Amino acid sequence: REQKNLKELQSQIAKIQSRALEVPVMQELEKPRETHVLLRGDFKQKGERVFPGVPQVLPNPHLKRSMNRLDFAKWLVDKNNPLTARVAVNYLWQHFFGIGIVSTPSDFGVQGEPPSSLELLDWLAQDFIDNGWSIKNLHRQIMLSQTYQRSSYHPQYNLVVQTDPQNQLLSHFQPRRLRAEELRDSMLAVSGELNREIGGLPV
């Protein structure tokens, strides 16, 4: 009898182990490998040795040792780093209005377009940080604003289109095409078929 129970338990253990997932974990090397500038992209021609760090134009974490991945992750969301929050806010703004405060979202450098409203970008980024990087709160800030709730009708529409064709000054709400998922959800919502329950099995 005990032998039979042992076999049943071993069978259950085998089933559990077969369902277990192996998750790869990154670990820092005890002795970091040297990294060099590769001359003309040739890995055989090593140039000057380089070390982990961040661009000099941005606030430096001032570490007494070489930066690792965890340091870099902390630096990305540091309050003194102005870039991450601005990029995140700009992407969400573009989602709602069709064009970002910076119209080149993939290029926040000197070759990208300057923001249409630097003060607005700064305020939204700081508010985003102060509220714990809450995307839900940022959605609420944008959607409850007078800018978002403006009508797409403008009494001097033709003049506005001539002076501000991209509507970057947001004198009216610019109509835009919905993405496939947004169109699907809009149709389901209008027809009363949208399941608003959060969580549970996928449909």
Side-chain angles (χ1 to χ4, degrees):
R1 182 180 176 183
E2 290 179 356
Q3 190 72 20
K4 184 179 178 182
N5 290 340
L6 178 61
K7 285 185 177 180
E8 288 180 359
L9 289 173
Q10 287 175 338
S11 176
Q12 291 175 12
I13 291 172
K15 286 181 180 179
I16 293 170
Q17 289 177 339
S18 67
R19 293 197 302 265
L21 294 175
E22 290 188 8
V23 181
V25 178
M26 280 189 175
Q27 290 183 339
E28 297 291 336
L29 296 173
E30 292 183 9
K31 184 181 178 183
R33 62 173 63 97
E34 292 186 7
T35 305
H36 295 263
V37 174
L38 303 180
L39 302 178
R40 304 186 69 177
D42 185 356
F43 69 94
K44 293 182 180 179
Q45 298 185 44
K46 294 183 178 179
E48 178 187 357
R49 186 182 177 187
V50 291
F51 299 88
V54 298
Q56 292 182 354
V57 296
L58 296 173
N60 198 293
H62 299 296
L63 298 172
K64 294 182 180 179
R65 52 179 170 75
S66 182
M67 178 182 271
N68 59 30
R69 290 185 182 92
L70 180 59
D71 296 325
F72 181 67
K74 288 179 178 178
W75 173 83
L76 279 176
V77 292
D78 191 285
K79 288 185 176 181
N80 295 320
N81 175 17
L83 190 58
T84 307
R86 283 169 173 79
V87 171
V89 163
N90 192 66
Y91 267 106
L92 281 169
W93 187 270
Q94 179 177 337
H95 170 76
F96 285 108
F97 293 98
I99 187 170
I101 300 172
V102 176
S103 60
T104 52
S106 59
D107 190 350
F108 263 61
V110 293
Q111 295 184 359
E113 289 293 321
S116 57
S117 175
L118 180 60
E119 293 81 5
L120 175 61
L121 183 64
D122 287 348
W123 186 87
L124 284 172
Q126 189 60 52
D127 184 68
F128 186 41
I129 295 172
D130 292 343
N131 284 282
W133 302 80
S134 170
I135 294 176
K136 184 176 182 179
N137 182 75
L138 182 57
H139 282 191
R140 187 184 294 112
Q141 289 279 30
I142 293 174
M143 296 180 74
L144 293 180
S145 68
Q146 289 184 357
T147 306
Y148 182 77
Q149 296 179 22
R150 282 181 180 162
S151 170
S152 58
Y153 170 76
H154 194 283
Q156 296 178 316
Y157 183 78
N158 291 333
L159 178 62
V160 167
V161 169
Q162 291 175 4
T163 55
D164 184 21
Q166 298 293 326
N167 194 30
Q168 284 190 292
L169 301 178
L170 298 169
S171 58
H172 59 285
F173 193 92
Q174 184 165 307
R176 60 185 180 84
R177 290 180 181 273
L178 294 177
R179 295 184 299 178
E181 294 82 3
E182 295 170 334
L183 183 60
R184 176 202 62 201
D185 289 348
S186 296
M187 291 173 65
L188 289 171
V190 169
S191 64
E193 296 295 323
L194 181 64
N195 182 2
R196 299 181 182 274
E197 183 180 351
I198 298 175
L201 296 173
V203 178

CSV table of all heavy atoms in Angstrom, one decimal, residues 107-139:
chain,number,residue,atom,x,y,z
A,107,ASP,N,12.6,60.8,-31.9
A,107,ASP,CA,13.8,61.7,-31.8
A,107,ASP,C,13.6,62.9,-31.0
A,107,ASP,O,13.0,63.9,-31.4
A,107,ASP,CB,14.1,62.1,-33.3
A,107,ASP,CG,15.5,62.7,-33.4
A,107,ASP,OD1,16.1,63.0,-32.3
A,107,ASP,OD2,16.0,62.9,-34.5
A,108,PHE,N,14.0,62.8,-29.7
A,108,PHE,CA,14.0,63.9,-28.8
A,108,PHE,C,15.3,64.7,-28.8
A,108,PHE,O,15.6,65.5,-27.9
A,108,PHE,CB,13.7,63.5,-27.4
A,108,PHE,CG,12.2,63.6,-27.0
A,108,PHE,CD1,11.2,62.9,-27.8
A,108,PHE,CD2,11.8,64.4,-26.0
A,108,PHE,CE1,9.9,62.9,-27.5
A,108,PHE,CE2,10.4,64.4,-25.7
A,108,PHE,CZ,9.5,63.7,-26.4
A,109,GLY,N,16.1,64.5,-29.8
A,109,GLY,CA,17.5,65.1,-29.8
A,109,GLY,C,17.4,66.4,-30.6
A,109,GLY,O,16.4,66.9,-31.0
A,110,VAL,N,18.6,66.9,-30.9
A,110,VAL,CA,18.7,68.2,-31.6
A,110,VAL,C,18.2,68.2,-33.0
A,110,VAL,O,17.9,69.2,-33.6
A,110,VAL,CB,20.2,68.7,-31.5
A,110,VAL,CG1,20.6,69.0,-30.1
A,110,VAL,CG2,21.1,67.7,-32.2
A,111,GLN,N,18.1,67.0,-33.6
A,111,GLN,CA,17.6,66.9,-35.0
A,111,GLN,C,16.1,66.7,-35.0
A,111,GLN,O,15.5,66.7,-36.1
A,111,GLN,CB,18.3,65.7,-35.7
A,111,GLN,CG,19.8,66.0,-35.9
A,111,GLN,CD,20.5,64.8,-36.7
A,111,GLN,OE1,19.8,63.9,-37.1
A,111,GLN,NE2,21.8,65.0,-36.9
A,112,GLY,N,15.5,66.5,-33.9
A,112,GLY,CA,14.0,66.4,-33.8
A,112,GLY,C,13.4,67.7,-33.8
A,112,GLY,O,14.0,68.8,-33.7
A,113,GLU,N,12.0,67.7,-34.0
A,113,GLU,CA,11.3,68.9,-33.9
A,113,GLU,C,11.2,69.4,-32.5
A,113,GLU,O,11.0,68.7,-31.6
A,113,GLU,CB,9.8,68.7,-34.5
A,113,GLU,CG,9.8,68.4,-36.0
A,113,GLU,CD,10.2,69.6,-36.8
A,113,GLU,OE1,9.8,70.8,-36.4
A,113,GLU,OE2,10.9,69.5,-37.8
A,114,PRO,N,11.2,70.8,-32.3
A,114,PRO,CA,11.0,71.3,-30.9
A,114,PRO,C,9.6,71.1,-30.5
A,114,PRO,O,8.7,71.0,-31.3
A,114,PRO,CB,11.4,72.8,-31.1
A,114,PRO,CG,11.1,73.1,-32.6
A,114,PRO,CD,11.4,71.8,-33.3
A,115,PRO,N,9.3,71.1,-29.2
A,115,PRO,CA,7.9,70.9,-28.7
A,115,PRO,C,7.0,72.1,-29.1
A,115,PRO,O,7.5,73.3,-29.1
A,115,PRO,CB,8.1,70.7,-27.2
A,115,PRO,CG,9.4,71.3,-26.9
A,115,PRO,CD,10.2,71.1,-28.1
A,116,SER,N,5.8,71.9,-29.4
A,116,SER,CA,4.9,73.0,-29.7
A,116,SER,C,4.5,73.8,-28.5
A,116,SER,O,4.2,74.9,-28.5
A,116,SER,CB,3.6,72.4,-30.3
A,116,SER,OG,3.0,71.5,-29.5
A,117,SER,N,4.6,73.1,-27.3
A,117,SER,CA,4.4,73.8,-26.0
A,117,SER,C,5.4,73.2,-25.0
A,117,SER,O,5.0,72.2,-24.4
A,117,SER,CB,3.0,73.7,-25.5
A,117,SER,OG,2.8,74.3,-24.3
A,118,LEU,N,6.5,73.8,-24.8
A,118,LEU,CA,7.5,73.2,-23.8
A,118,LEU,C,7.0,73.3,-22.4
A,118,LEU,O,7.2,72.3,-21.6
A,118,LEU,CB,8.8,74.1,-23.9
A,118,LEU,CG,9.9,73.6,-23.0
A,118,LEU,CD1,10.3,72.2,-23.2
A,118,LEU,CD2,11.1,74.5,-23.1
A,119,GLU,N,6.2,74.3,-22.0
A,119,GLU,CA,5.7,74.4,-20.7
A,119,GLU,C,4.7,73.3,-20.4
A,119,GLU,O,4.7,72.7,-19.3
A,119,GLU,CB,5.0,75.8,-20.5
A,119,GLU,CG,5.9,77.0,-20.5
A,119,GLU,CD,6.2,77.4,-21.9
A,119,GLU,OE1,5.7,76.8,-22.9
A,119,GLU,OE2,7.1,78.3,-22.1
A,120,LEU,N,3.8,73.0,-21.4
A,120,LEU,CA,2.9,71.9,-21.2
A,120,LEU,C,3.6,70.6,-21.1
A,120,LEU,O,3.2,69.8,-20.2
A,120,LEU,CB,1.9,71.9,-22.4
A,120,LEU,CG,0.9,70.7,-22.4
A,120,LEU,CD1,0.0,70.8,-21.2
A,120,LEU,CD2,0.1,70.7,-23.7
A,121,LEU,N,4.6,70.3,-21.9
A,121,LEU,CA,5.3,69.1,-21.8
A,121,LEU,C,6.0,68.9,-20.5
A,121,LEU,O,6.0,67.9,-19.8
A,121,LEU,CB,6.4,69.0,-22.9
A,121,LEU,CG,7.2,67.7,-23.1
A,121,LEU,CD1,6.3,66.5,-23.4
A,121,LEU,CD2,8.3,67.9,-24.1
A,122,ASP,N,6.6,70.0,-20.0
A,122,ASP,CA,7.3,70.0,-18.7
A,122,ASP,C,6.3,69.7,-17.6
A,122,ASP,O,6.5,68.9,-16.6
A,122,ASP,CB,8.0,71.3,-18.4
A,122,ASP,CG,9.3,71.4,-19.3
A,122,ASP,OD1,9.7,70.4,-19.8
A,122,ASP,OD2,9.8,72.5,-19.3
A,123,TRP,N,5.1,70.4,-17.6
A,123,TRP,CA,4.1,70.2,-16.5
A,123,TRP,C,3.6,68.8,-16.5
A,123,TRP,O,3.5,68.2,-15.4
A,123,TRP,CB,3.0,71.3,-16.7
A,123,TRP,CG,2.0,71.2,-15.6
A,123,TRP,CD1,2.1,72.0,-14.4
A,123,TRP,CD2,0.9,70.4,-15.4
A,123,TRP,NE1,1.1,71.6,-13.6
A,123,TRP,CE2,0.3,70.7,-14.2
A,123,TRP,CE3,0.3,69.5,-16.3
A,123,TRP,CZ2,-0.8,70.1,-13.7
A,123,TRP,CZ3,-0.9,68.8,-15.8
A,123,TRP,CH2,-1.4,69.2,-14.6
A,124,LEU,N,3.2,68.3,-17.7
A,124,LEU,CA,2.7,66.9,-17.7
A,124,LEU,C,3.7,65.9,-17.2
A,124,LEU,O,3.4,65.0,-16.5
A,124,LEU,CB,2.2,66.6,-19.1
A,124,LEU,CG,0.9,67.2,-19.6
A,124,LEU,CD1,0.7,67.0,-21.1
A,124,LEU,CD2,-0.3,66.7,-18.8
A,125,ALA,N,5.0,66.1,-17.6
A,125,ALA,CA,6.0,65.2,-17.2
A,125,ALA,C,6.2,65.2,-15.7
A,125,ALA,O,6.3,64.1,-15.1
A,125,ALA,CB,7.3,65.5,-17.9
A,126,GLN,N,6.2,66.4,-15.1
A,126,GLN,CA,6.4,66.5,-13.7
A,126,GLN,C,5.2,66.0,-12.9
A,126,GLN,O,5.4,65.3,-11.9
A,126,GLN,CB,6.6,68.0,-13.3
A,126,GLN,CG,7.1,68.2,-11.8
A,126,GLN,CD,8.4,67.5,-11.5
A,126,GLN,OE1,9.4,67.7,-12.2
A,126,GLN,NE2,8.4,66.7,-10.5
A,127,ASP,N,4.0,66.2,-13.4
A,127,ASP,CA,2.8,65.7,-12.8
A,127,ASP,C,2.8,64.2,-12.9
A,127,ASP,O,2.4,63.5,-12.0
A,127,ASP,CB,1.6,66.3,-13.5
A,127,ASP,CG,0.3,65.8,-12.9
A,127,ASP,OD1,0.0,66.2,-11.8
A,127,ASP,OD2,-0.5,65.0,-13.5
A,128,PHE,N,3.3,63.6,-14.0
A,128,PHE,CA,3.4,62.2,-14.2
A,128,PHE,C,4.3,61.6,-13.1
A,128,PHE,O,4.0,60.5,-12.5
A,128,PHE,CB,3.9,61.9,-15.6
A,128,PHE,CG,3.9,60.5,-16.0
A,128,PHE,CD1,2.9,59.6,-15.7
A,128,PHE,CD2,5.0,60.0,-16.8
A,128,PHE,CE1,2.9,58.3,-16.1
A,128,PHE,CE2,5.0,58.6,-17.2
A,128,PHE,CZ,4.0,57.8,-16.9
A,129,ILE,N,5.4,62.2,-12.9
A,129,ILE,CA,6.4,61.7,-11.9
A,129,ILE,C,5.8,61.8,-10.5
A,129,ILE,O,5.8,60.9,-9.6
A,129,ILE,CB,7.7,62.5,-12.0
A,129,ILE,CG1,8.4,62.2,-13.3
A,129,ILE,CG2,8.6,62.1,-10.8
A,129,ILE,CD1,9.6,63.0,-13.6
A,130,ASP,N,5.2,63.0,-10.2
A,130,ASP,CA,4.6,63.3,-8.8
A,130,ASP,C,3.5,62.3,-8.5
A,130,ASP,O,3.3,62.1,-7.3
A,130,ASP,CB,4.1,64.7,-8.7
A,130,ASP,CG,5.3,65.7,-8.8
A,130,ASP,OD1,6.4,65.3,-8.6
A,130,ASP,OD2,5.0,66.9,-9.1
A,131,ASN,N,2.8,61.8,-9.5
A,131,ASN,CA,1.7,60.9,-9.2
A,131,ASN,C,2.1,59.4,-9.4
A,131,ASN,O,1.3,58.5,-9.7
A,131,ASN,CB,0.5,61.2,-10.1
A,131,ASN,CG,-0.2,62.4,-9.7
A,131,ASN,OD1,-1.0,62.4,-8.8
A,131,ASN,ND2,0.0,63.5,-10.4
A,132,GLY,N,3.4,59.2,-9.1
A,132,GLY,CA,3.9,57.8,-9.1
A,132,GLY,C,3.9,57.1,-10.4
A,132,GLY,O,3.7,55.9,-10.5
A,133,TRP,N,4.2,57.9,-11.5
A,133,TRP,CA,4.2,57.3,-12.9
A,133,TRP,C,2.9,56.6,-13.2
A,133,TRP,O,2.9,55.6,-13.9
A,133,TRP,CB,5.4,56.4,-13.0
A,133,TRP,CG,6.7,57.0,-12.8
A,133,TRP,CD1,7.3,57.3,-11.5
A,133,TRP,CD2,7.7,57.6,-13.7
A,133,TRP,NE1,8.5,57.9,-11.7
A,133,TRP,CE2,8.8,58.1,-13.0
A,133,TRP,CE3,7.7,57.6,-15.1
A,133,TRP,CZ2,9.9,58.7,-13.6
A,133,TRP,CZ3,8.8,58.2,-15.7
A,133,TRP,CH2,9.8,58.7,-15.0
A,134,SER,N,1.8,57.1,-12.8
A,134,SER,CA,0.5,56.5,-13.0
A,134,SER,C,0.0,56.9,-14.4
A,134,SER,O,-0.4,58.0,-14.6
A,134,SER,CB,-0.5,56.9,-11.9
A,134,SER,OG,-1.8,56.5,-12.3
A,135,ILE,N,-0.1,55.9,-15.3
A,135,ILE,CA,-0.6,56.1,-16.6
A,135,ILE,C,-2.1,56.4,-16.5
A,135,ILE,O,-2.6,57.2,-17.3
A,135,ILE,CB,-0.3,54.9,-17.5
A,135,ILE,CG1,1.2,54.8,-17.7
A,135,ILE,CG2,-1.1,55.0,-18.8
A,135,ILE,CD1,1.6,53.6,-18.5
A,136,LYS,N,-2.8,55.8,-15.6
A,136,LYS,CA,-4.2,56.0,-15.4
A,136,LYS,C,-4.5,57.4,-15.1
A,136,LYS,O,-5.4,58.1,-15.6
A,136,LYS,CB,-4.8,55.0,-14.4
A,136,LYS,CG,-6.3,55.1,-14.2
A,136,LYS,CD,-6.8,54.1,-13.2
A,136,LYS,CE,-8.3,54.2,-13.0
A,136,LYS,NZ,-8.8,53.2,-12.0
A,137,ASN,N,-3.7,58.0,-14.2
A,137,ASN,CA,-3.9,59.4,-13.8
A,137,ASN,C,-3.6,60.3,-14.9
A,137,ASN,O,-4.3,61.3,-15.1
A,137,ASN,CB,-3.0,59.7,-12.6
A,137,ASN,CG,-3.1,61.1,-12.1
A,137,ASN,OD1,-4.1,61.4,-11.4
A,137,ASN,ND2,-2.2,62.0,-12.4
A,138,LEU,N,-2.6,60.0,-15.7
A,138,LEU,CA,-2.2,60.8,-16.9
A,138,LEU,C,-3.4,60.8,-17.9
A,138,LEU,O,-3.7,61.8,-18.5
A,138,LEU,CB,-0.9,60.3,-17.5
A,138,LEU,CG,-0.4,61.1,-18.7
A,138,LEU,CD1,-0.2,62.6,-18.4
A,138,LEU,CD2,0.9,60.5,-19.2
A,139,HIS,N,-4.0,59.6,-18.1
A,139,HIS,CA,-5.1,59.5,-19.0
A,139,HIS,C,-6.2,60.5,-18.5
A,139,HIS,O,-6.9,61.2,-19.3
A,139,HIS,CB,-5.6,58.1,-19.1
A,139,HIS,CG,-4.8,57.2,-19.9
A,139,HIS,ND1,-5.2,55.9,-20.3
A,139,HIS,CD2,-3.6,57.4,-20.5
A,139,HIS,CE1,-4.3,55.4,-21.1
A,139,HIS,NE2,-3.3,56.2,-21.2
